Amino acid sequence: MTPETVTLILDISITISLVVGAVFTLVGSFGLLKLDDAMKRLHAPTKASTLGVGALLLASILGAFARDEPSLQEALIMAFLFVTAPISAQFICKVNLHRRSCMTPPEPSSDSTWATLDTADAGDAPAEHLTPEKG
């Protein structure tokens, strides 16, 4: 392939990544404003940050590669973003479930290992580890 062809392919890839990133960021910010419940609203910024910002960072990586100035910073930012966004979303979700601040919280799971809001059955002893301590 000629250098002009490689440059054209990189330019098209950068453009596609920028458009995809902009669309996901726009949809995510619109969802953050328009969704009514905290649990519904939670998905908009997490999807926008992982997909939208990830695509924008990919465009930055491709642009640096096209200028022959490769940088590891964008890849590290993307890795940090992809690791922290789902974890923070899970913690925000758990806080909403424990506060019962969402309109329709899901029923607690019967699995006591992974349940967020595990409740004791009628014949069981009270689940003391789940009740808040009073000081």
Side-chain angles (χ1 to χ4, degrees), residues 13-130:
S13 301
I14 291 169
T15 305
I16 290 171
S17 294
L18 286 173
V19 169
V20 167
V23 167
F24 272 108
T25 304
L26 178 68
V27 169
S29 60
F30 184 75
L32 183 63
L33 292 174
K34 292 295 180 180
L35 293 174
D36 56 347
D37 190 20
M39 295 296 276
K40 293 178 191 174
R41 197 177 300 135
L42 175 69
H43 293 288
T46 55
K47 300 299 183 259
S49 66
T50 53
L51 296 173
V53 177
L56 294 174
L57 284 169
L58 179 63
S60 178
I61 290 170
L62 292 173
F65 182 72
R67 292 186 310 268
D68 289 331
E69 300 171 359
S71 173
L72 188 62
Q73 294 172 347
E74 290 94 351
L76 291 174
I77 292 170
M78 191 181 298
F80 181 75
L81 178 73
F82 286 164
V83 169
T84 58
I87 293 170
S88 61
Q90 181 186 14
F91 283 138
I92 293 170
C93 180
K94 280 189 169 192
V95 166
N96 283 324
L97 285 175
H98 283 286
R99 287 184 177 173
R100 297 193 182 276
S101 63
C102 51
M103 291 181 192
T104 55
E107 290 297 318
S109 173
S110 61
D111 183 13
S112 64
T113 305
W114 292 102
T116 300
L117 295 173
D118 189 23
T119 58
D121 292 336
D124 293 342
E128 295 158 357
H129 64 282
L130 296 174

